[in-house]
Amino acid sequence: MLAKRLTAARLDVLWVSLEGSKPESYADVRLGAELPDILNNIRQFRDSRQAYHTEIGVVFVAMKRNIAELPEVMRLAQELGVTRFLVTNVLPYTEDLREEALYSCAPEDLSFTSTAADTSFELCTMNINDATRAALQEIIRNARIVDTTATNAGMLKNYCPFIESGSLAISWDGGVSPCLPLMHSHASYLGERKRCTRRLIAGNVSERNLTDIWDAPEYLNIRRRVQAFYFASCTSCKRCELAEKNETDCLGSGFPACGGCLWAQGFIRCP
């Protein structure tokens, strides 16, 4: 059974995406997926854990179409024995998804984390408005927030969660990248402006030892640059054509220019 094999491999956390509390709303986001099957799999995994207690986490990708179901999804997750709950914004790859975004990259956006009785809860940065207010107020009450101050507020801006946590990403072809956003070339929207992100590969595990790639001077230099985060504020500015790529910015920062990274500004979070 796969669940037993995962716990035997000492998996720390199993993350599951739940974007709806009803079969039809879940299938609207996760095309082709059936919510009853997903919930049953979570229960089987929960009940199959033995000596090594793998945690179960739920990720909710918040959009205009599903934000009203957030409180019910959180209650459902707690009933399933979930110990971690993360709410993140959608990365708009298309114009349709851009219309679903619940953030504006504005100073009034809110973010916080908390610990309820048995579940850690983390909410990404998003706007408090008519679309989000009711759902957010309910989950804040139910999560029994003890501190509504933005968690490590200084870290939510100009802070790379991947570099600072000492993590990296390895793609299907063995390419090593500093983070998930740089693992593949892709286009997304930064406000109304389309932004093309070019892939960054520091090495390949099929050709070099992972430790050698990590310790290489060029990779060390990338990590130091991102930690210093001397990049233009493309996320909040978006005024010039330099924001359309991660090649360079108006401060003269070379590739990768991370000033337009939504992860580094707290709008998108990964487990």
Side-chain angles (χ1 to χ4, degrees):
M1 185 177 180
L2 180 59
K4 292 182 178 180
R5 289 168 59 189
L6 288 172
T7 53
R10 293 184 173 270
L11 177 69
D12 293 324
V13 186
L14 174 70
W15 286 94
V16 182
S17 293
L18 284 183
E19 278 78 38
S21 59
K22 297 184 287 291
E24 57 272 19
S25 58
Y26 181 75
D28 182 50
V29 178
R30 298 289 172 182
L31 301 179
E34 297 187 9
L35 183 61
D37 291 342
I38 300 299
L39 299 181
N40 186 54
N41 289 339
I42 295 175
R43 293 188 187 97
Q44 289 188 26
F45 183 83
R46 176 197 63 194
D47 297 339
S48 69
R49 295 174 298 180
Q50 298 175 348
Y52 193 79
H53 188 75
T54 301
E55 290 188 83
I56 303 175
V58 159
V59 182
F60 181 92
V61 179
M63 296 177 281
K64 290 179 181 177
R65 73 172 78 169
N66 68 352
I67 186 64
E69 294 193 38
L70 175 57
E72 185 59 33
V73 171
M74 185 174 181
R75 282 193 290 269
L76 182 61
Q78 291 174 325
E79 291 174 2
L80 291 169
V82 168
T83 53
R84 299 191 185 185
F85 196 90
L86 169 65
V87 181
T88 183
N89 284 300
V90 65
L91 178 65
Y93 288 107
T94 65
E95 290 197 35
D96 289 342
L97 285 178
R98 180 170 64 84
E99 296 299 324
E100 292 283 347
L102 295 170
Y103 57 94
S104 62
C105 303
E108 68 269 15
D109 294 337
L110 171 70
S111 172
F112 62 80
T113 62
S114 72
T115 301
D118 299 306
T119 307
S120 67
F121 176 74
E122 184 174 1
L123 172 69
C124 64
T125 303
M126 67 174 61
N127 292 75
I128 304 298
N129 53 34
D130 291 342
T132 62
R133 184 173 294 106
L136 295 181
Q137 286 177 341
E138 183 170 351
I139 61 171
I140 288 172
R141 285 196 301 268
N142 292 339
R144 287 181 279 180
I145 306 299
V146 294
D147 182 8
T148 55
T149 304
T151 301
N152 297 324
M155 293 167 53
L156 295 177
K157 305 294 181 184
N158 302 331
Y159 172 88
C160 176
F162 303 99
I163 295 294
E164 296 296 343
S165 65
S167 62
L168 52 77
I170 302 178
S171 65
W172 66 271
D173 60 359
V176 176
S177 299
C179 60
L180 292 180
L182 292 177
M183 190 168 63
H184 61 107
S185 296
H186 64 279
S188 59
Y189 283 86
L190 191 59
E192 297 182 357
R193 189 182 290 274
K194 192 172 184 178
R195 180 177 173 86
C196 295
T197 298
R198 177 160 66 95
R199 184 187 193 193
L200 188 157
I201 297 299
N204 195 294
V205 292
S206 64
E207 302 169 356
R208 297 169 61 192
N209 181 279
L210 184 58
T211 301
D212 292 337
I213 296 174
W214 179 267
D215 292 335
E218 57 270 25
Y219 194 11
L220 178 60
N221 181 57
I222 291 172
R223 299 200 300 273
R224 285 174 173 169
R225 285 183 58 218
V226 176
Q227 284 185 306
F229 217 90
Y230 186 70
F231 302 111
S233 301
C234 296
T235 305
S236 57
C237 177
K238 305 181 290 291
R239 291 191 182 95
C240 74
E241 65 279 2
L242 293 178
E244 296 176 357
K245 297 181 180 180
N246 66 333
E247 299 292 342
T248 187
D249 61 28
C250 60
L251 297 180
S253 300
F255 176 79
C258 301
C261 177
L262 295 172
W263 280 264
Q265 306 304 322
F267 294 103
I268 296 179
R269 300 189 184 182
C270 293

